[in-house]
Amino acid sequence: MESRQTRRIRPESPRPPGPPRWAAMFYDPASSSWLLGAESPDRGPVLYAVGEMTQAGRTRGDEVTVELWGPREGAWHRFEAFTPTPTPTSTSAAAPEREAAPASPGKLAERMEDRRHQVLMAGLGRAGLHDLAPDDVTAVRTLVDGVDETTLRRIAHWLDLAGSGR
């Protein structure tokens, strides 16, 4: 119900300016307006940007609302409306795990962990999973911590194949 109430207050997303292409319009509650957040001739980069921007907004504790626009028969068309549920601002459940973990053994280990995380997130993005719930983020972190990079690359490859419909 909350989204219906918010929907009534929030104005409809305007059509993006210019010729039809893939575009993501983000709602800014502070200014009660829609802002063009990402645009590309291809859908993939826009969806990737939506995922990254949504994750960044959620990290800040913001409510993120996105409308995806794209070309259909030479004209603008609204394809789907993203209204992700906000994540809890309290990270008390995740904080003890990070505190309990021993200090990073070094820069190389930290870089490798970041790289494994990027590989898995890229695979999820190519499979069309851009808006991760808190449980999904925990699952990604668990995989990154417990699986080697070669295995994660294989998983990312499978996700890419699943996302491309092959």
Side-chain angles (χ1 to χ4, degrees):
M1 275 195 214
E2 188 174 298
S3 63
R4 286 184 184 162
Q5 291 172 346
T6 305
R7 199 68 154 139
R8 282 187 223 136
I9 296 169
R10 182 180 340 113
E12 285 285 320
S13 168
R15 187 179 69 198
R21 65 203 174 287
W22 290 99
M25 299 291 289
F26 285 79
Y27 182 70
D28 179 22
S31 65
S32 298
S33 63
W34 290 87
L35 305 169
L36 182 62
E39 60 183 322
S40 174
D42 300 313
R43 183 178 178 152
V46 172
L47 291 177
Y48 180 79
V50 166
E52 292 294 314
M53 295 166 121
T54 299
Q55 192 172 22
R58 283 183 162 184
T59 301
R60 291 189 306 264
D62 297 343
E63 177 187 341
V64 180
T65 304
V66 184
E67 294 282 342
L68 181 67
W69 289 82
R72 179 181 277 173
E73 299 174 2
W76 280 109
H77 178 75
R78 186 178 329 179
F79 279 87
E80 49 195 68
F82 295 102
T83 310
T85 55
T87 58
T89 54
S90 168
T91 57
S92 58
E97 291 177 18
R98 288 189 191 120
E99 291 172 10
S104 176
K107 276 198 171 264
L108 178 61
E110 184 179 329
R111 279 192 4 233
M112 291 304 288
E113 182 178 313
D114 288 345
R115 205 162 103 177
R116 290 192 307 267
H117 185 265
Q118 288 174 347
V119 164
L120 190 54
M121 291 303 292
L124 289 168
R126 287 189 302 264
L129 303 169
H130 304 284
D131 183 26
L132 301 180
D135 289 343
D136 298 329
V137 172
T138 302
V140 167
R141 179 58 43 207
T142 301
L143 276 171
V144 167
D145 291 343
V147 179
D148 63 290
E149 185 175 355
T150 304
T151 304
L152 281 177
R153 287 191 182 279
R154 204 66 211 146
I155 292 169
H157 175 71
W158 296 336
L159 290 167
D160 183 33
L161 289 175
S164 65
R166 289 184 216 163

